[in-house]
Amino acid sequence: MRIIVQKFGGTSVATQDKRLLAIEHIKDAVKDGYHVVVVVSAMGRKGDPYATDTLLGLLDSAEHCAKREKDLLMSCGEIISAVVFSSLLTEKGYDNCVLTGAQAGILTNDDHSNAQIITVTPDRILKELEEGKVVIVAGFQGAAGNGDITTLGRGGSDTTATALGVALNAEVVDIFTDVDGIMTADPRIVDDAKKLRTVTYAEICNLAYSGAKVIHPRSVEIAMQKNIPVRVRSTMSKDPGTLIISQAENDRMEPRSFKDQVLTGITQTANITQLKVDCAPTGGNQLKVFKAMADNQISVDFISVTPTGVAFTVSNEDVEKAVGVLLDLGFQPEVLSNCAKVSAVGAGIAGVPGVMATILEALTAEGIEVLQSADSHTTIWCLVREEDMVKAVRALHRKFKLHA
Amino acid sequence: MRIIVQKFGGTSVATQDKRLLAIEHIKDAVKDGYHVVVVVSAMGRKGDPYATDTLLGLLDSAEHCAKREKDLLMSCGEIISAVVFSSLLTEKGYDNCVLTGAQAGILTNDDHSNAQIITVTPDRILKELEEGKVVIVAGFQGAAGNGDITTLGRGGSDTTATALGVALNAEVVDIFTDVDGIMTADPRIVDDAKKLRTVTYAEICNLAYSGAKVIHPRSVEIAMQKNIPVRVRSTMSKDPGTLIISQAENDRMEPRSFKDQVLTGITQTANITQLKVDCAPTGGNQLKVFKAMADNQISVDFISVTPTGVAFTVSNEDVEKAVGVLLDLGFQPEVLSNCAKVSAVGAGIAGVPGVMATILEALTAEGIEVLQSADSHTTIWCLVREEDMVKAVRALHRKFKLHA
């Protein structure tokens, strides 16, 4: 059985017009001989009566609602959306049925509001597919072992889609959204940013974590486990979007050399502040700093430890709290506000020497100072002043010929 | 464990003010030493965003929505209501949890939109009660053997409440609504109509079927199986309302003789039309008439069969269709429009001679013609002209001293 999973996000199912566009994609898949599993999010965004945030807004005192009960409430958003979608699909002549996350066999742990999928037992889905039905699964939800309804956290419908893709050994998982695919850079910053035909699982994870909020990294990690291809596509067009695949498959489809494309994309995150603390590691001082940040739920990034001190970044919102914590510890931090992180992502980085040199060359030529840097297998991060951020993204995009 | 089930209908949970009133009753029950199971309906009535009818209104083409999927959609109304209620109850300091019908152990057949409860396995409820929690159950729903969500039809939350009452061997089931209890007659018609302190299961069924829409007969029949007392009460007051109990219990609490009170209440239903057809039973003619009505989904009442013809009533809306059917069969029906049914209900009727005579005496004294009559163990029905209806109800109420 050739199976495709098609996930439609909140904006793709918000109105009747949008749902009709979504159904066109289902029709195409059926025509292509696929058995289709549809995953839907709740309808619309904040303000719409059946969107997740609106349902939570019904609670006069959200802080008094237990996480378990909140999950139950939120799960209704996707169920309502799925039934409305089902009704329209029936009208268009497609036999279908709706399954809740629990009915679809999605077993999770009981970490309410952020549950992890333990297993997917897709017997019911397979039975319905065999009967020729399109199966619509309410996204973002599952059930714990005791039957309690759980939700999978933000981006949860993406996770539902790829987890079902893995369990059903789907040929492909389509993530329909309101953009055409993954871009080499934010098109609002880089005029000639280009849609990527393919990216690897590792690259998309770094692109997503770094600010390109198109698909949830967690869902990609699940697809990666079984090499299930994922496509990020627009509901509004027939364009195949961006295909997310393994490194090996990508190398086969798109052989590349240092000369043409070592980088895949550039992303940026603003509103960052750098903190520096003069302190030797004696007496566990450096350890104390990071332990205090963790104890106060302050996320830190760009951690740099030297024999004379530590440096790290926090988001602008956390600065006041972080400085307070440091002062309480008896430290006098040096604060550099209004920084930004520029990320150069590319699976090619690892094997290619001189990428960092090229990055520095591009930035220096524009008079941009790199305040700090970090790197991983597939990504190089540079901390720059926020006023330099746009210039830096454009310079790297141009230098690495990502428009080409 | 002393258990009470308290059911709050749509209007009783529609607003924060109403929910606060409802919680007062839960507080009282806890103070009285009860473990409390709360059953809630969806919030509000048609027009409210999370009421059952509004959820169904989301479907652009309700006729294309399968019954199974409609049930899934409707079940969200009670779940949303239950979680909103839970949040407020937590704020007021009462540890609680929400269970869907399925989680509460309500197993039904798969007759979607009108499912019958097969069994209730209240293990989870008992576990939560033992932990000291108030258990809030989403009314109106259950699950079929395959895990599909079902709904119990109109009045379904009452059914949930009494079915849980039976399964938990509750001391009492409270049905909270917006009236003070069951009245001897409609107070809009009879000025001195009186709230009944008690009625029997059999009486309330006839009162309910006859037009006093306070509690669903099906739910009473369930309570009756195990003699679980049911109270119909107002959310807005501390009044104990009307207690619905067995005949034996009622006789013990309220011994009565013919002289004081043979009747319990008078109800009325307007908008009825009487049809008479001249036809001998030869050739299956009389049978044909009733079969044709059934085939056309026309409900008939007041059936009277004689050697020369048949008479029966239909609701005014069905008259045109019924007459058409009869003409098609070659009959020329005699049509008497604008009739009304007046029902005299009382468990005492069966054993007491002369009740019908007293009724006729009362009506004749007012110049009211009885067009037809019928009777059962606990009820006598009279068909009168609609213009006589109010006068008839008042006359019977007075004659049988129901105000006393």
Side-chain angles (χ1 to χ4, degrees), chain B residues 48-336:
Chain B
D48 291 316
Y50 305 95
T52 306
D53 290 325
T54 311
L55 289 174
L56 288 177
L58 288 175
L59 304 172
D60 299 277
S61 49
E63 81 269 28
H64 290 108
C65 190
K67 277 185 161 186
R68 179 185 171 282
E69 274 65 31
K70 248 185 216 170
D71 271 4
L72 200 49
L73 178 64
M74 287 193 287
S75 73
C76 290
E78 275 71 19
I79 293 175
I80 292 169
S81 178
V83 174
V84 170
F85 198 87
S86 158
S87 160
L88 189 61
L89 197 55
T90 305
E91 190 187 335
K92 297 299 168 197
Y94 290 84
D95 196 12
N96 69 81
C97 74
V98 172
L99 299 179
T100 65
Q103 291 171 345
I106 298 173
L107 178 72
T108 72
N109 63 10
D110 63 357
D111 183 9
H112 284 286
S113 84
N114 193 31
Q116 309 286 320
I117 295 176
I118 297 170
T119 56
V120 178
T121 310
D123 300 2
R124 177 75 186 263
I125 297 180
L126 287 168
K127 178 179 159 286
E128 303 288 352
L129 289 179
E130 274 158 16
E131 288 177 11
K133 288 182 193 161
V134 173
V135 176
I136 304 169
V137 178
F140 178 59
Q141 59 183 261
N146 63 354
D148 282 355
I149 306 305
T150 54
T151 65
L152 309 176
R154 291 289 158 182
S157 290
D158 290 351
T159 306
T160 300
T162 54
L164 291 178
V166 167
L168 294 162
N169 197 25
E171 253 186 49
V172 63
V173 174
D174 280 344
I175 305 289
F176 284 97
T177 174
D178 46 8
V179 298
D180 278 328
I182 313 290
M183 305 290 287
T184 51
D186 185 338
R188 288 168 303 182
I189 289 184
V190 178
D191 283 342
D192 55 0
K194 208 185 65 175
K195 198 201 71 189
L196 291 161
R197 205 163 76 87
T198 66
V199 295
T200 68
Y201 297 119
E203 286 170 337
I204 190 73
C205 286
N206 275 313
L207 285 169
Y209 278 123
S210 304
K213 288 162 190 163
V214 176
I215 182 170
H216 200 276
R218 198 160 138 192
S219 73
V220 175
E221 285 154 12
I222 290 172
M224 185 165 53
Q225 290 167 17
K226 289 276 170 89
N227 276 334
I228 304 290
V230 176
R231 281 188 297 204
V232 173
R233 311 175 53 181
S234 166
T235 317
M236 269 88 67
S237 86
K238 299 266 183 185
D239 190 290
T242 300
L243 184 65
I244 309 173
I245 43 181
S246 68
Q247 179 74 58
E249 183 66 12
N250 200 37
D251 288 349
R252 197 183 61 73
M253 286 178 70
E254 309 246 321
R256 48 177 122 184
S257 67
F258 176 58
K259 276 224 171 110
D260 47 343
Q261 268 184 6
V262 64
L263 288 194
T264 302
I266 315 287
T267 67
Q268 72 290 330
T269 314
N271 298 316
I272 289 175
T273 294
Q274 186 192 45
L275 299 175
K276 283 187 185 171
V277 180
D278 266 344
C279 62
T282 46
N285 267 339
Q286 296 185 341
L287 181 65
K288 249 186 236 166
V289 169
F290 295 110
K291 199 172 169 313
M293 292 298 135
D295 288 348
N296 287 277
Q297 269 94 47
I298 300 169
S299 285
V300 299
D301 195 6
F302 270 115
I303 296 172
S304 158
V305 174
T306 67
T308 60
V310 297
F312 56 93
T313 61
V314 298
S315 74
N316 283 356
E317 300 93 74
D318 284 339
V319 171
E320 203 176 333
K321 192 157 83 165
V323 169
V325 168
L326 292 169
L327 291 173
D328 285 350
L329 289 175
F331 297 120
Q332 204 66 41
E334 186 183 324
V335 179
L336 181 59

Side-chain angles (χ1 to χ4, degrees), chain A residues 83-122:
Chain A
V83 174
V84 169
F85 199 87
S86 158
S87 160
L88 189 62
L89 198 55
T90 305
E91 189 186 336
K92 296 299 167 197
Y94 291 84
D95 196 12
N96 69 82
C97 74
V98 171
L99 299 179
T100 64
Q103 290 169 346
I106 298 173
L107 178 72
T108 72
N109 64 10
D110 63 357
D111 183 9
H112 285 287
S113 85
N114 194 31
Q116 309 287 318
I117 296 176
I118 298 169
T119 57
V120 179
T121 310

